[in-house]
Amino acid sequence: MSRPSTEHYDLTETEKRDLIKLIEQGKPLPEKYRFMLFADKREVELVWNGKTREVCTAILPFQTLEHIDEPRKEMERGLQSATQMDLLDTSGRQTKGWTNKLIWGDNKLILSSLKSGALRRQIEDAGGLKLIYIDPPFDVGADFSMDIEIGGETFHKEPNLLEQIAYRDTWGRGADSFISMIYERLILMRDLMHPEGSIYVHCDWRVNAHVRSVLDEVFGSENFLNEILWRRRTNTVKAVSQKFSVNTDTIFLYARDRNSYQFNIQYGDYPPEYYERFNQEDKYGKYYWNVMATYSQERLKKLQEEGKVKFSEGAKFPRFKQYLHELKGRPIENIWDDIDMINAMGSERLGYSTQKPEALAERIIKASSNEGDLIADFFGGSGTTAAVAEKLGRKWITSDLGKFGIHTTRKRLIQVQRDLKTAGKPFRAFEVLNLGRYERQAYLNVGGRLSGKKKEQALARKEQEFREL
């Protein structure tokens, strides 16, 4: 970076000499001079050790490991032509267009390669990436190890080398390294998204303040839409401790551009006492007189002609006849207290401690995408987002660093294919991919403001890890 000019600022000669001396010595400038000397005058900014706006630009080739496609129902040869079979049998795979992607590897390199590599064309041809949901590793104590139950026996899975490196790069310097990790990946996700896309970022009390600040900087505070509070358990009582117990996660929703994004209102059940009001009935069904305050004069006139408006003496607003069968439900607000965590004995549970319920992913996907849209989850875990996306007729990309996560997702998606086939519903084939080569220059990149000696040591360590990999 070139040395800032001081000639246009009202600085004394002594201040100018002191500033130049500090710059020449490579020392930080006093905080008061930041807004005087540099053009960037943001009122609020998140700053951390090693911050840089540079992002990964590596473009690595994807290698197809497997193409998975639960086949269509075969018909006896000679009875019908291939064209007739395609017309009559709608219970199998979608044979044209996009193939879903399950990708094993570091999501930074995956995102960089998707953004600027050959697959970008496929993404654009599929309509662009309309929705991203991520649940990054916000548990500081997580280390990618886990207990796995196989055939009634429990095995302890130790983290592999890639997972060890990812853990160190995410939490090695505490909050600094976590923010650096998520900042770079969010920039890459933003650049990959469709202009009408949106992103949901799931976090908890450990990092939600940092994540909100990073999202404001990457997507712009003007594109913030919601802070959603998910109450994880609704029927449990925790022991009293020295503070209020924590029972919520935070999900931030941002648009790529708040002037153009997809959103479908979701509805839940009203409280039971609400339905008790429907105690009158006519030939159209049960109804009650609901207070009306927001209808236009034209709408009000039409309802009067239909006999659906009632003016009560002394009432400020008229009432209208609301039929029970016309109710869509209670519009969902930003506090989600109607979705429990996965039951310990539930059929969904796959052994992942951070696994989220399918109902949570379903609400997000239905709210911010339409059937046929392409969605992504770059911290895929056990594959919940991809599984729900497939069931809801969306195209998907998901990735994970852990081989166990890839195997779990693969098995889960094959079962989803089989279930959809049995139900006579369409589904898509999916590919299992990895990055064909971990290029040395991309792998050995060392970020942060390290001294010459420390940078040399970090490079030597990464060189050894690269050789082992």
Side-chain angles (χ1 to χ4, degrees):
M1 183 178 70
S2 60
R3 188 169 68 183
S5 170
T6 59
E7 61 184 81
H8 301 298
Y9 298 96
D10 188 17
L11 301 175
T12 66
E13 290 301 318
T14 301
E15 287 175 323
K16 292 176 184 178
R17 286 197 304 271
D18 289 344
L19 285 170
I20 292 171
K21 186 176 180 181
L22 288 170
I23 292 169
E24 289 174 344
Q25 293 174 347
K27 294 182 178 179
L29 303 182
E31 191 69 19
K32 68 178 181 178
Y33 293 115
R34 284 186 61 214
F35 296 101
M36 295 173 61
L37 298 178
F38 298 99
D40 190 348
K41 298 188 183 302
R42 282 173 290 183
E43 293 182 4
V44 178
E45 181 185 2
L46 181 63
V47 180
W48 63 91
N49 183 27
K51 181 177 182 179
T52 173
R53 290 185 175 84
E54 295 178 2
V55 298
C56 179
T57 57
I59 305 174
L60 310 185
F62 289 99
Q63 176 182 345
T64 301
L65 302 179
E66 190 177 10
H67 185 93
I68 298 174
D69 185 1
E70 178 69 19
R72 283 170 171 243
K73 187 188 302 178
E74 296 294 338
M75 294 187 176
E76 292 184 24
R77 293 182 179 276
L79 291 179
Q80 285 145 323
S81 68
T83 303
Q84 287 175 316
M85 288 174 64
D86 286 343
L87 290 173
L88 293 172
D89 182 13
T90 60
S91 63
R93 64 186 179 273
Q94 298 184 14
T95 55
K96 295 181 180 179
W98 172 264
T99 300
N100 292 320
K101 318 292 182 192
L102 171 58
I103 309 174
W104 175 42
D106 182 337
N107 56 14
K108 178 176 73 174
L109 297 173
I110 289 169
L111 282 161
S112 175
S113 301
L114 288 174
K115 173 188 169 184
S116 305
L119 282 184
R120 180 64 181 263
R121 185 63 176 272
Q122 288 188 36
I123 291 172
E124 301 304 328
D125 289 345
L129 185 52
K130 296 290 183 65
L131 169 64
I132 296 175
Y133 165 78
I134 59 170
D135 181 15
F138 51 77
D139 184 354
V140 184
D143 62 357
F144 292 94
S145 64
M146 63 180 70
D147 291 328
I148 306 166
E149 289 189 15
I150 302 176
E153 293 188 59
T154 300
F155 300 89
H156 184 72
K157 174 201 164 294
E158 291 294 340
N160 63 34
L161 179 64
L162 279 175
E163 291 169 331
Q164 291 177 39
I165 295 167
Y167 175 73
R168 186 200 64 212
D169 288 349
T170 302
W171 295 114
R173 300 190 310 274
D176 281 355
S177 49
F178 173 81
I179 297 169
S180 294
M181 181 278 292
I182 200 67
Y183 181 71
E184 183 174 11
R185 284 156 177 80
L186 286 171
I187 291 174
L188 290 167
M189 290 179 206
R190 180 200 64 196
D191 294 346
L192 186 60
M193 285 170 63
H194 188 279
E196 298 175 1
S198 52
I199 182 169
Y200 290 75
V201 181
H202 195 132
C203 52
D204 77 349
W205 59 270
R206 297 172 180 87
V207 297
N208 57 12
H210 300 317
V211 169
R212 172 70 186 272
S213 297
V214 170
L215 284 164
D216 278 348
E217 185 165 324
V218 173
F219 286 90
S221 57
E222 69 278 9
N223 292 314
F224 167 75
L225 298 177
N226 277 117
E227 178 182 3
I228 299 161
L229 294 180
W230 173 41
R231 188 181 179 205
R232 299 190 304 264
R233 299 179 182 86
T234 56
N235 296 314
T236 60
V237 178
K238 291 186 176 181
V240 176
S241 63
Q242 299 302 309
K243 64 174 185 176
F244 297 110
S245 62
V246 177
N247 195 25
T248 59
D249 282 356
T250 300
I251 304 173
F252 293 115
L253 169 58
Y254 281 73
R256 184 72 175 85
D257 178 357
R258 74 169 299 123
N259 296 314
S260 177
Y261 66 94
Q262 176 65 41
F263 188 76
N264 307 307
I265 297 174
Q266 299 298 294
Y267 297 91
D269 290 333
Y270 287 104
E273 57 270 19
Y274 182 87
Y275 297 99
E276 295 173 4
R277 304 175 185 181
F278 294 85
N279 53 18
Q280 301 181 69
E281 192 168 358
D282 61 16
K283 63 180 180 179
Y284 300 108
K286 289 188 175 183
Y287 69 89
Y288 92 104
W289 294 104
N290 194 7
V291 175
M292 178 173 58
T294 58
Y295 281 130
S296 66
Q297 289 299 314
E298 289 183 11
R299 176 67 171 151
L300 182 60
K301 184 178 179 181
K302 188 175 185 299
L303 289 170
Q304 281 181 286
E305 292 171 355
E306 295 172 355
K308 291 184 178 180
V309 173
K310 180 179 184 180
F311 289 90
S312 300
E313 187 176 348
K316 185 176 181 181
F317 298 108
R319 298 173 181 269
F320 74 102
K321 189 180 285 187
Q322 183 175 40
Y323 286 99
L324 182 61
H325 67 265
E326 293 176 341
L327 290 179
K328 289 184 178 180
R330 176 180 61 88
I332 298 298
E333 299 172 327
N334 73 320
I335 297 179
W336 295 359
D337 58 2
D338 56 341
I339 299 175
D340 274 355
M341 292 185 70
I342 302 170
N343 187 286
M345 303 302 292
S347 59
E348 278 187 47
R349 181 165 290 281
L350 298 172
Y352 263 79
S353 59
T354 59
Q355 183 182 348
K356 301 302 184 294
E358 289 194 2
L360 186 72
E362 180 177 337
R363 176 167 295 171
I364 289 169
I365 292 170
K366 283 184 174 180
S368 294
S369 70
N370 293 321
E371 192 167 337
D373 283 347
L374 175 61
I375 71 174
D377 181 351
F378 296 104
F379 293 87
S382 60
T384 300
T385 303
V388 176
E390 187 67 53
K391 293 175 185 179
L392 295 177
R394 272 67 166 175
K395 304 163 190 159
W396 53 265
I397 301 171
T398 191
S399 69
D400 199 76
L401 185 65
K403 191 179 290 187
F404 179 67
I406 295 297
H407 283 311
T408 301
T409 301
R410 174 189 177 277
K411 180 179 178 182
R412 186 175 188 174
L413 265 297
I414 290 173
Q415 187 59 50
V416 171
Q417 285 187 343
R418 290 173 177 167
D419 292 343
L420 290 172
K421 178 186 173 184
T422 301
K425 296 179 180 179
F427 56 86
R428 291 184 181 274
F430 69 93
E431 300 173 290
V432 182
L433 307 173
N434 72 352
L435 294 175
R437 297 191 306 274
Y438 276 90
E439 292 186 355
R440 184 176 181 277
Q441 61 267 32
Y443 191 86
L444 298 183
N445 178 50
V446 176
R449 297 174 183 173
L450 300 177
S451 65
K453 186 175 181 180
K454 288 184 178 179
K455 192 167 187 177
E456 186 178 326
Q457 291 172 345
L459 279 169
R461 185 179 65 250
K462 282 207 164 190
E463 174 73 41
Q464 181 60 35
E465 291 168 351
F466 177 75
R467 291 178 181 277
E468 293 175 5
L469 176 64

